[in-house]
Amino acid sequence: MTRQIRFNAFDMNCVGHQSPGLWAHPRDRSWQYKDLEYWQDLARTLERGIFDGIFIADVVGYYDVYKGSNWHALHQAAQIPVNDPLQLAAPIALATEHLGIGITASTSFEHPYTFARRLSTADHHTKGRVGWNIVTSYLESGAKNVGQDGLKRHDNRYEVAAEYVEVLYKLFEGSWEDGAVLRDRERRIFTDPSKVHEIGHRGRHFTVPGYHLCEPSPQRTPVLYQAGASGPGKAFAGHHAECVFVAAPLKPMLKAYVADVRAQAQAAGRSPRDVLIYNLTTVIVAETDAAAQKKFEDYRSYASCDGALVFMSGWSGIDFGQYAPTDLVKKVETNAIVSMVEHFSSAENPWSIAELARWGGIGGVGPVFVGSPATVADILQEWVAETDVDGFNLAYAVTPESFEDAVNLLVPELQRRGAYPKAYRPGTLREKLFGRGPYLPETHPAHGFRDIEAVKAREAALRPAAAAE
């Protein structure tokens, strides 16, 4: 049986998400990121293409590593200005029926109690089509502007993230029992108080004693996305993530990453297939190979070298503006995205600064595939067969054109080969992705927090401690 490929659209509530400079292309509409009509039009296009979802990235902060300032980030609109992603969930849901909506939010900058309410609200409003992309953040500017001295060390951020998601699991899964909300007009009882529980969380980083503010949403815990590629990031993904995003530019890298994450999931007591893995990719498709190559060269003429190095410097924590274009990328210990530095400074195939800038001009650090529908479909199927990846997180060069080309040209070719779905499954996002119920399965660590007897035992143990205080 031909293995089916999955697509997500990779976007951000900003200008020129992964392709700095291409906002100036005459057909690009990313400058309309402020307009709900733009997002709704895009969402309808993606749903027509049976995309699993639109995955909306985010940063809290700005890129100020390159040449020691944020001048070039502002000058080239390199993810600044940027708006809040979660506010897009409701309007996208209103314009579509099936499309998943993945929202990025950091465990470093917002308290889990207030975030839990915002996320449950989004899951209610979308009728269970929202997911949360769990990130720990990598920009020092973000930490400083929320009153922190700076980012915690990389590994320590994952320690905080582990407790953060534990708090959310307790709120989403254990605070309100099934059947707590009665809506009994005759007896004038809306909620049975005996079925709503304090979570009593007292941890190293967070104290959350009370109840979740929201009644259970369609998925309880929204679908969990994660994009960590470092050792701690992969371990975290193996324990918690349902969908994992990676940016591997080469097949051997991707194959090793996929195998590692699936092994981490199995070690955590989960099925290796409980995790769907998508690789960041940009596809530039036209009717023929020659037309696609011409389109690619047109796009490339708008790419910004400074804008690309703004991103590369911010992601890696290394100021590439201090080097000559011919200098090689060298491994430097930073507090940013560790895995990226390790790849581009590898002893086997070191990159120059100029090569890095040229690579990052379109689509970020993921591969760019150029060709006719048949050519690109061949490449994608080859990557799936050789790496065991489940699908691709498609970035754009020019929006919405890149997505429209994928939907109008590439998707029909893949469907003709039996390598792409022709319809959505019914139900919530989790049901569409995995073909099972709306809640997290028993093998997931969050499920244990739905053990009502254990919840009640924790409550009973907390009462004497609270009285003593």
Side-chain angles (χ1 to χ4, degrees):
M1 181 179 293
T2 301
R3 184 167 172 183
Q4 291 203 331
I5 292 171
R6 320 182 72 101
F7 285 157
N8 278 297
F10 193 35
D11 211 329
M12 190 169 174
N13 199 354
C14 69
V15 179
H17 174 212
Q18 294 277 304
S19 299
L22 273 87
W23 56 268
H25 194 283
R27 295 192 299 276
D28 187 80
R29 289 179 58 197
S30 65
W31 60 275
Q32 292 179 288
Y33 74 99
K34 311 176 302 301
D35 302 330
L36 292 182
E37 295 82 3
Y38 162 77
W39 290 103
Q40 291 183 318
D41 287 346
L42 175 59
R44 283 187 282 262
T45 296
L46 300 175
E47 184 159 277
R48 181 164 54 84
I50 323 294
F51 276 49
D52 284 346
I54 180 169
F55 171 62
I56 305 172
D58 191 38
V59 290
V60 175
Y62 36 81
Y63 293 84
D64 58 359
V65 176
Y66 182 62
K67 297 187 177 180
S69 79
N70 67 347
W71 193 92
H72 286 283
L74 288 165
H75 189 260
Q76 287 300 315
Q79 297 183 13
I80 184 171
V82 55
N83 283 351
D84 179 67
L86 193 56
Q87 295 186 50
L88 293 176
I92 288 174
L94 285 172
T96 57
E97 184 181 354
H98 299 286
L99 188 72
I101 306 155
I103 302 296
T104 299
S106 175
T107 58
S108 297
F109 301 141
E110 183 173 1
H111 195 279
Y113 188 68
T114 52
F115 178 63
R117 181 172 69 161
R118 295 204 302 132
L119 200 54
S120 287
T121 301
D123 202 45
H124 280 300
H125 286 173
T126 62
K127 292 183 169 58
R129 285 195 278 141
V130 78
W132 171 36
N133 177 39
I134 308 165
V135 297
T136 63
S137 294
Y138 51 86
L139 295 180
E140 292 284 348
S141 61
K144 291 175 182 176
N145 280 299
V146 297
Q148 300 174 7
D149 292 334
L151 281 178
K152 295 178 174 67
R153 293 298 304 165
H154 181 271
D155 291 2
N156 180 254
R157 295 203 297 275
Y158 277 104
E159 176 189 308
V160 174
E163 186 178 338
Y164 196 104
V165 297
E166 179 182 331
V167 172
L168 292 187
Y169 295 159
K170 290 176 178 178
L171 292 168
F172 293 150
E173 302 290 338
S175 187
W176 291 63
E177 295 182 36
D178 289 338
V181 176
L182 302 175
R183 287 187 285 273
D184 187 332
R185 287 187 173 90
E186 290 186 5
R187 293 190 295 157
R188 305 287 294 274
I189 302 172
F190 193 87
T191 300
D192 180 351
S194 69
K195 293 187 176 183
V196 183
H197 308 282
E198 295 179 301
I199 68 167
H201 182 87
R202 286 182 173 83
R204 180 176 178 183
H205 304 286
F206 304 105
T207 298
V208 184
Y211 312 95
H212 188 28
L213 291 169
C214 303
E215 64 179 275
S217 67
Q219 300 181 110
R220 283 193 173 263
T221 299
V223 170
L224 299 170
Y225 298 76
Q226 205 261 344
S230 65
K234 286 183 284 190
F236 187 92
H239 276 80
H240 300 283
E242 297 174 273
C243 299
V244 173
F245 297 133
V246 61
L250 302 171
K251 280 186 285 188
M253 281 183 64
L254 181 58
K255 182 177 181 179
Y257 178 89
V258 171
D260 195 352
V261 169
R262 297 207 194 282
Q264 295 273 6
Q266 190 163 26
R270 305 170 65 201
S271 166
R273 295 295 161 184
D274 279 349
V275 181
L276 297 174
I277 302 173
Y278 302 76
N279 194 48
L280 171 63
T281 302
T282 303
V283 295
I284 297 173
V285 189
E287 287 77 6
T288 66
D289 288 343
Q293 189 62 40
K294 183 178 179 181
K295 185 181 291 187
F296 179 45
E297 295 304 327
D298 173 43
Y299 290 163
R300 184 174 268 174
S301 70
Y302 287 88
S304 166
C305 175
D306 281 323
L309 291 178
V310 163
F311 285 153
M312 296 297 175
S313 296
W315 293 334
S316 68
I318 300 170
D319 178 7
F320 291 117
Q322 64 185 306
Y323 302 112
T326 54
D327 286 345
L328 298 180
V329 177
K330 297 178 181 177
K331 185 173 181 179
V332 177
E333 290 297 327
T334 74
N335 201 19
I337 301 177
V338 174
S339 58
M340 190 189 125
V341 184
E342 290 174 344
H343 169 65
F344 290 113
S345 61
S346 68
E348 297 82 16
N349 187 31
W351 290 49
S352 71
I353 305 302
E355 288 172 327
L356 190 66
R358 184 173 176 81
W359 176 272
I362 292 180
V365 297
V368 179
F369 301 141
V370 181
S372 67
T375 296
V376 175
D378 285 344
I379 296 171
L380 294 181
Q381 287 188 289
E382 179 183 283
W383 274 61
V384 169
E386 294 186 23
T387 68
D388 193 33
V389 75
D390 295 290
F392 299 91
N393 209 25
L394 297 184
Y396 65 83
V398 166
T399 185
E401 181 171 283
S402 296
F403 297 123
E404 290 170 344
D405 288 344
V407 169
N408 295 333
L409 300 173
L410 180 57
V411 165
E413 174 64 21
L414 290 169
Q415 288 174 328
R416 184 185 66 77
R417 301 176 181 206
Y420 194 86
K422 294 184 177 180
Y424 288 99
R425 290 177 174 135
T428 65
L429 177 56
R430 183 170 286 116
E431 290 170 291
K432 294 178 193 301
L433 293 175
F434 296 100
R436 57 191 180 213
Y439 298 160
L440 283 162
E442 292 183 3
T443 53
H444 193 279
H447 190 273
F449 295 104
R450 294 198 67 204
D451 184 340
I452 299 305
E453 294 308 314
V455 170
K456 290 178 179 177
R458 279 199 304 270
E459 279 188 313
L462 287 168
R463 289 190 196 108
E469 291 174 5

